[in-house]
Amino acid sequence: MVPGAFNYYRPDTVDDVIGLLGEWGDDARVIAGGHSLIPVMKQRLSDISHLIDLGGVEALKGIIIDGGTVTIGAMTTQHELITNDALASAAPIIREASLQIADPQVRYLGTIGGNVANGDPANDMPGLMQTLGATYHLAGPNGGRTVAARDFYEAAYFTAREDDEILTAVSFAATSGGYAYEKQKRKIGDYATAAAGVLLTMHGGSCSAASVALTNLSDTPVYCTDAVDILVGSSVDDEAVAAAVKAAVDVSDPVADTRGPVDFKKYVAGVIVKKAIESARSRA
Amino acid sequence: MEKMHVKMNVNGKEVDLLTEPRTLLIHALREELGITGPHVGCSSSHCGACTVDMNGMSVKSCTVFAAQANGAEITTIEGLGSPDALHVLQEMFKEHHGLQCGYCTPGMITRAYRLLQENPNPTEEEVRFGIAGNLCRCTGYQNIVKAILEAAAKMNEIKESA
Ligand SMILES: Cc1cc2nc3c(=O)[nH]c(=O)nc-3n(C[C@H](O)[C@H](O)[C@H](O)COP(=O)(O)OP(=O)(O)OC[C@H]3O[C@@H](n4cnc5c(N)ncnc54)[C@H](O)[C@@H]3O)c2cc1C
Ligand code: FES
Ligand code: FES
């Protein structure tokens, strides 16, 4: 399988990337790790005449932890997310989730920017970014702007990013308290049948802050407001957990595919959300 | 579309290819450079038969454009050992029957090589997790895992006595 022909560019700066996108419009695409894009290009499902490699743009790389804020450059690979110890203390849920993505070879090249910008509901990082309440940093011809991860996803492959913009970084507050990213998949390297990210802070036996989000259970990642409202203020006892799980499953909207029919996916969603809340509670 | 120059260091040798940007690294290696150790299994980023080492990372060369490898250092199975001087991993795969048809083997060993560079003392579980991107339709993995664990022990012995 070989993709159709294209012109290849490898600029050094964000401005040059934006310039090329402006010049070639709809016919141009950026490539990061290529592990979502190249498979699609091989199937000739997208028509790309100008491919702009972000691999040469140093400004898009790296992890900065400054005070309580974590900023991760778009071109940071999943492998780098896993092996960065400072990140593992600032937000351990990132390592836990990244280790459940794909396989070692894919993780060496796949980037956080490609994963969140792709817009595929099956990607794990968008759900993770809902959990963390992350902010996305975009750059375009009119400069930079930010969009909340929870406002970014509109439908499968439709996001708030304009065609002439790129994502430069994601940022979020360092976490404290309990965390968990749980994923049900058929085998290593498979996308989620259902996955959930949970953060949970306990104070004197009561939950003071929580976050719950779902992956691959709708055409966008889902942040579960109702489940969060149930958990916050509760003691996260079995009754609260059961109510939160029900609220999360209620807002899921999976479609039937090779991973199973809708009822099965909703069932698995319930199991996974329960596991994630209980695991986060045990670490809080 | 214009052809472009791609310069790489492949198994210690500098090469300069004039190729189309859409050429995949696996095809550049096999068809343009005659390096046929890395195999095409699935051509869809799943099986790992095409695994090569690129700048110290195991990558599926069917999912990398040669253009992206411009300036890279590439090691294939040919760069790890030769029939007269097998790499310890190759010896251990031979001794422990870590292969049957051999189709997955170059990718499997190239991946195992990088795994042991990063983690010279892996547990059995770490070996299984570390080679999860490489499929084998023949062996059932048992002997592959055994061969990699034995190779790790042997490589550590050699390091200690050096
Ligand atoms: C076998 C296999 C298994 C996988 N399993 C999983 C899994 O379990 N979970 C999971 O989440 N993912 C999985 N993936 C996908 C993998 O994680 C991808 O690497 C990731 O989704 C995309 O990152 P990338 O850097 O490879 O992006 P690319 O493939 O290079 O790009 C993806 C898309 O995003 C756009 N893009 C990339 N970077 C930017 C940017 N900075 N700004 C704007 N647009 C950008 C590209 O134009 C393209 O449309 C798997 C992939 C494979 C091959
Ligand atoms: S041929 Fe590359 S992963 Fe199968
Ligand atoms: S030995 Fe035949 S596929 Fe692995």
Side-chain angles (χ1 to χ4, degrees):
Chain A
M1 285 197 290
V2 177
F6 53 80
N7 288 315
Y8 174 85
Y9 310 84
R10 194 179 165 92
D12 301 327
T13 66
V14 172
D15 282 348
D16 290 346
V17 174
I18 304 297
L20 285 163
L21 282 174
E23 188 172 341
W24 300 112
D26 277 0
D27 294 337
R29 278 285 271 284
V30 297
I31 182 167
H35 275 59
S36 289
L37 187 59
I38 296 178
V40 173
M41 291 174 74
K42 282 185 183 176
Q43 293 166 41
R44 307 220 175 182
L45 292 177
S46 55
D47 199 13
I48 298 166
S49 336
H50 302 278
L51 193 66
I52 306 163
D53 191 346
L54 299 181
V57 186
E58 281 304 317
L60 296 176
K61 292 177 193 165
I63 300 168
I64 299 166
I65 301 167
D66 187 9
T69 304
V70 181
T71 306
I72 304 177
M75 287 301 286
T76 308
T77 64
Q78 292 152 9
H79 181 78
E80 288 162 347
L81 296 177
I82 291 165
T83 50
N84 189 299
D85 289 330
L87 180 62
S89 1
I93 193 171
I94 300 255
R95 180 182 279 174
E96 176 151 296
S98 302
L99 281 166
Q100 298 178 68
I101 292 179
D103 59 43
Q105 283 95 322
V106 176
R107 293 193 296 262
Y108 279 111
L109 292 181
T111 65
I112 190 167
N115 201 295
V116 302
N118 196 23
D120 182 344
N123 280 136
D124 287 286
M125 294 283 176
L128 182 63
M129 293 299 129
Q130 311 299 300
T131 315
L132 287 162
T135 301
Y136 292 173
H137 301 255
L138 303 174
N142 304 318
R145 66 180 179 117
T146 58
V147 180
R150 289 177 192 161
D151 297 330
F152 187 73
Y153 299 94
E154 295 165 354
Y157 300 103
F158 286 93
T159 68
R161 185 181 63 81
E162 300 294 337
D163 283 347
D164 56 2
E165 288 180 314
I166 63 163
L167 185 130
T168 54
V170 306
S171 65
F172 51 85
T175 64
S176 56
Y179 66 92
Y181 191 82
E182 289 284 341
K183 174 173 171 179
Q184 166 67 40
K185 52 189 189 233
R186 296 171 301 181
K187 60 176 271 293
I188 283 191
D190 191 20
Y191 290 95
T193 302
V198 172
L199 295 173
L200 214 57
T201 309
M202 301 294 288
H203 263 152
S206 146
C207 173
S208 57
S211 182
V212 179
L214 309 175
T215 291
N216 217 11
L217 288 163
S218 187
D219 68 342
T220 63
V222 182
Y223 177 67
C224 307
T225 318
D226 291 348
V228 169
D229 288 346
I230 292 166
L231 290 173
V232 173
S234 82
S235 60
V236 196
D237 56 354
D238 291 352
E239 201 181 320
V241 173
V245 167
K246 183 175 180 307
V249 173
D250 282 348
V251 290
S252 74
D253 186 17
V255 289
D257 60 16
T258 49
R259 292 185 183 81
V262 170
D263 286 350
F264 172 71
K265 288 192 173 183
K266 288 207 167 213
Y267 173 77
V268 177
V271 173
I272 288 298
V273 173
K274 181 162 187 278
K275 262 179 97 169
I277 295 175
E278 285 174 349
S279 167
R281 184 180 58 189
S282 75
R283 290 158 162 175
Chain B
M1 305 286 162
E2 234 171 278
K3 287 194 175 183
M4 62 179 287
H5 280 277
V6 174
K7 291 184 188 171
M8 301 183 279
N9 183 302
V10 183
N11 299 327
K13 266 212 321 251
E14 297 296 335
V15 301
D16 184 343
L17 287 176
L18 187 61
T19 191
E20 279 190 85
R22 64 170 163 168
T23 304
L24 295 161
L25 180 57
I26 185 72
H27 296 140
L29 291 170
R30 291 179 57 85
E31 286 154 30
E32 302 194 24
L33 296 171
I35 295 172
T36 54
H39 291 158
V40 180
C42 64
S43 199
S44 65
S45 330
H46 287 99
C47 73
C50 62
T51 300
V52 304
D53 204 74
M54 178 171 97
N55 295 332
M57 306 179 290
S58 307
V59 303
K60 294 173 178 171
S61 60
C62 74
T63 315
V64 177
F65 290 120
Q68 293 172 287
N70 199 2
E73 211 165 286
I74 307 282
T75 306
T76 69
I77 189 74
E78 285 91 340
L80 290 180
S82 66
D84 307 328
L86 294 181
H87 189 274
V88 178
L89 274 160
Q90 291 170 314
E91 250 174 61
M92 290 301 104
F93 268 62
K94 187 173 151 197
E95 191 171 319
H96 294 283
H97 302 282
L99 66 152
Q100 289 176 21
C101 79
Y103 203 82
C104 70
T105 315
M108 199 63 93
I109 290 182
T110 310
R111 169 58 198 146
Y113 166 77
R114 180 51 51 195
L115 173 66
L116 296 187
Q117 295 294 313
E118 289 182 356
N119 180 1
N121 283 301
T123 61
E124 180 184 334
E125 202 188 329
E126 286 166 344
V127 169
R128 288 183 184 275
F129 193 71
I131 61 166
N134 294 74
L135 302 181
C136 174
R137 303 304 298 263
C138 301
T139 63
Y141 301 100
Q142 210 69 10
N143 290 344
I144 291 178
V145 174
K146 204 191 278 175
I148 296 172
L149 286 168
E150 289 293 328
K154 272 246 154 58
M155 286 161 76
N156 289 334
E157 256 171 54
I158 296 168
K159 242 189 281 167
E160 267 163 37
S161 64

